[in-house]
Amino acid sequence: ARGKATRLAWWVVMLCCAGLPRVRAFLVPSLAGTRTTVVTATTTPLRRVTCCSQPAVAEALPVRGRVAQLKKPEMLDGVVVPETMEEALHRFFLGPEPAPRFLCAAMLICSALRFGSGMDMVGWDDALVVGVVGVFWAFQEWWLHKFLLHAPFKWLGTNIHVGHHDRAFYHVSIDSMSLVLPWFFTASLVLHLVLPAHLAMTATTTYTIMGLFYEFVHYLAHTKVQPKSKFLRNIKTHHMKHHLIDDRYWHTFSWTEIDRIMGTAPDKEELRNMAALRRSAK
């Protein structure tokens, strides 16, 4: 059974991660006609400048010492930014970035190994592990974003994240394999060290699913897509506030309520006070 699962896993890897030019050309047609929208910003000396050469400001929003301006160039850094859900899904799963396909493959491989390798039957303990890992991931998002990516000290993570904030809001944002691959294998190793084999595989599968979900919703938030789902719209709005109002707040994705629990989601009165402070500072 283990041999069959292993062979299935390798077939999944080959199908999901294939990068041959002919396969890519067949699966990924050009999106050259896709409409795009990006956000750029002008700034006071207190904030960095996000540059864009296109003229014609469509709208301006006051933003903590700067004014974010919505503009509509054709491309950003030569990359088409999706504007519909169909375009966004196509770009995410079949675009040049391999991380989403790797996470899909890892998810399927872990599932195949869990269910097809002769391990213990799925039971209540698996359900408990799924719940714990899901909640852990959501709080992990908040903690890593607030204390590492927005750390008061400089390191590689803050340098990369500053660049992310300085870019126009609407852009294609997908993590590279240089981050995703070591993160996945480190998490898998830790889970296998602290849990029995069958539960470790359940935990790894859940962690990978959460990672794939995070990659997609963060990517989607930075596209021009306006989701029909209230859940996805809430995540997008939540992240836009983080970028366009005040980056000290609104740190989570998977479960936006965590920001309220952790005190990083200003209420309406606090937002009015923040707006008044911005006006008085002008």
Side-chain angles (χ1 to χ4, degrees):
R2 184 180 295 273
K4 291 181 178 179
T6 302
R7 287 194 295 273
L8 174 61
W10 281 114
W11 274 109
V12 170
V13 171
M14 292 172 65
L15 290 173
C16 293
C17 297
L20 294 175
R22 292 183 180 179
V23 174
R24 179 71 54 77
F26 176 75
L27 292 177
V28 189
S30 172
L31 291 178
T34 303
R35 296 171 296 168
T36 64
T37 303
V38 302
V39 172
T40 62
T42 58
T43 179
T44 67
L46 298 177
R47 304 288 292 181
R48 290 173 178 261
V49 178
T50 302
C51 299
C52 186
S53 61
Q54 280 73 14
V57 177
E59 183 181 349
L61 301 173
V63 181
R64 188 186 166 206
R66 64 178 180 174
V67 176
Q69 301 171 341
L70 300 183
K71 301 184 179 182
K72 295 185 177 181
E74 291 300 319
M75 286 187 174
L76 174 65
D77 300 334
V79 177
V80 176
V81 182
E83 194 166 301
T84 69
M85 184 62 77
E86 181 181 4
E87 294 166 357
L89 290 169
H90 192 283
R91 180 67 173 78
F92 184 74
F93 287 106
L94 297 176
E97 298 85 1
R101 292 187 296 279
F102 168 78
L103 291 172
C104 287
M107 175 186 66
L108 294 174
I109 290 170
C110 292
S111 299
L113 293 174
R114 175 64 185 93
F115 292 105
S117 59
M119 293 184 177
D120 294 345
M121 294 294 292
V122 176
W124 67 267
D125 48 353
D126 289 273
L128 178 62
V129 166
V130 169
V132 169
V133 172
V135 172
F136 171 80
W137 176 277
F139 278 95
Q140 169 195 265
E141 285 179 352
W142 181 89
W143 191 89
L144 292 176
H145 196 177
K146 179 175 175 59
F147 292 110
L148 289 185
L149 298 183
H150 287 278
F153 53 88
K154 288 187 176 182
W155 67 292
L156 178 62
T158 55
N159 292 338
I160 294 173
H161 203 62
V162 164
H164 173 65
H165 272 264
D166 281 351
R167 295 193 71 185
F169 180 80
Y170 292 120
H171 66 276
V172 174
S173 180
I174 299 175
D175 287 326
S176 68
M177 286 295 288
S178 62
L179 172 64
V180 173
L181 194 62
W183 192 289
F184 168 79
F185 283 113
T186 300
S188 179
L189 176 62
V190 170
L191 291 171
H192 278 78
L193 288 175
V194 301
L195 292 172
H198 66 293
L199 294 181
M201 197 59 67
T202 298
T204 303
T205 303
T206 306
Y207 196 85
T208 306
I209 292 172
M210 295 303 298
L212 179 63
F213 175 75
Y214 161 78
E215 284 290 339
F216 179 71
V217 294
H218 181 249
Y219 153 82
L220 190 67
H222 282 281
T223 68
K224 190 60 175 65
V225 176
Q226 298 300 322
K228 295 180 180 179
S229 162
K230 183 179 179 180
F231 174 68
L232 292 177
R233 282 200 310 272
N234 181 49
I235 291 176
K236 184 181 181 76
T237 302
H238 197 81
H239 193 54
M240 290 185 78
K241 291 177 182 178
H242 173 73
H243 274 263
L244 302 179
I245 296 180
D246 195 322
D247 58 17
R248 296 172 298 175
Y249 302 99
W250 302 289
H251 296 291
T252 57
F253 282 91
S254 304
W255 183 17
T256 57
E257 187 68 13
I258 289 177
D259 273 308
R260 188 189 65 80
I261 295 171
M262 304 304 290
T264 51
D267 58 26
K268 292 182 179 180
E269 182 62 30
E270 289 173 313
L271 285 172
R272 283 194 289 268
N273 292 337
M274 291 164 63
L277 287 174
R278 287 198 300 271
R279 287 193 296 270
S280 64
K282 291 181 180 179

